[in-house]
Amino acid sequence: KPGERRCKLLAVLPRRTVLSRQAAGFRRAEEQVLAANLDTVFIVGDEASLFEGAARLRPRIVIADLSLTPGDGLGFVRRLRAAAPGLKLLLLTVHDEFAVAKSVMAAGADGVVLKRAIASDLLPGVDRLLAGERYLSPALHELSTQQRREAL
């Protein structure tokens, strides 16, 4: 009909997703958003379970808490990248220092989301990674710019 918009569905691609978190307790609104936007959620309590779940489910994306493992998280990122080179890795962190984000991205993470901004940044981060791009929470970009100005 004139003026009517139509769209043709060409394919439905499978979505495989793993969500990891050190401790249970996403706030209710965020839990509902995740459930509505992710088709498979696998919640783990430790690094070994994350690696096992990722190997079994073969996800396209893993969302992992940077504090899931002791230390700086760089070894964890490198091990996960080596075990599953094709997956996208989005890290959640409480660290709002740009240097932390830069280090984990250099180690192989595809994106970093600040936990304090998870409600606004998580889903855009997932979308960007699935589109083949990298992602940093906007607040991390602001910190980077501010730190560069201060260094001058």
Side-chain angles (χ1 to χ4, degrees):
K1 297 176 185 179
E4 184 178 289
R5 291 185 177 190
R6 291 186 174 237
C7 113
K8 182 177 180 181
L9 181 63
L10 299 177
V12 176
L13 302 176
R15 290 183 64 190
R16 298 177 308 239
T17 309
V18 172
L19 170 67
S20 73
R21 179 149 167 82
Q22 182 177 16
F26 271 118
R27 289 182 298 229
R28 194 75 187 147
E30 290 151 0
E31 182 178 21
Q32 291 170 347
V33 169
L34 286 170
N37 287 285
L38 301 177
D39 53 8
T40 302
V41 175
F42 185 81
I43 299 174
V44 299
D46 58 49
E47 182 180 335
S49 299
L50 172 61
F51 279 81
E52 179 185 335
R56 191 164 39 99
L57 295 174
R58 297 177 27 161
R60 290 173 51 201
I61 186 169
V62 167
I63 304 166
D65 190 328
L66 186 56
S67 63
L68 187 67
T69 61
D72 61 11
L74 299 179
F76 159 74
V77 171
R78 289 184 186 114
R79 287 188 304 279
L80 186 57
R81 179 59 64 214
L87 70 76
K88 301 294 182 184
L89 178 57
L90 183 63
L91 294 175
L92 307 176
T93 183
V94 296
H95 303 286
D96 61 357
E97 299 91 17
F98 179 72
V100 172
K102 184 178 177 182
S103 294
V104 295
M105 297 281 279
D110 297 295
V112 179
V113 169
L114 290 173
K115 284 186 177 182
R116 66 179 165 89
I118 197 168
S120 61
D121 295 357
L122 182 61
L123 293 178
V126 168
D127 289 342
R128 295 275 296 275
L129 267 60
L130 291 176
E133 302 172 21
R134 300 183 93 188
Y135 183 82
L136 281 178
S137 280
L140 287 168
H141 281 294
E142 293 169 18
L143 284 168
S144 170
T145 303
Q146 179 183 2
Q147 289 171 358
R148 278 188 235 146
R149 283 186 199 140
E150 290 172 359
L152 296 177

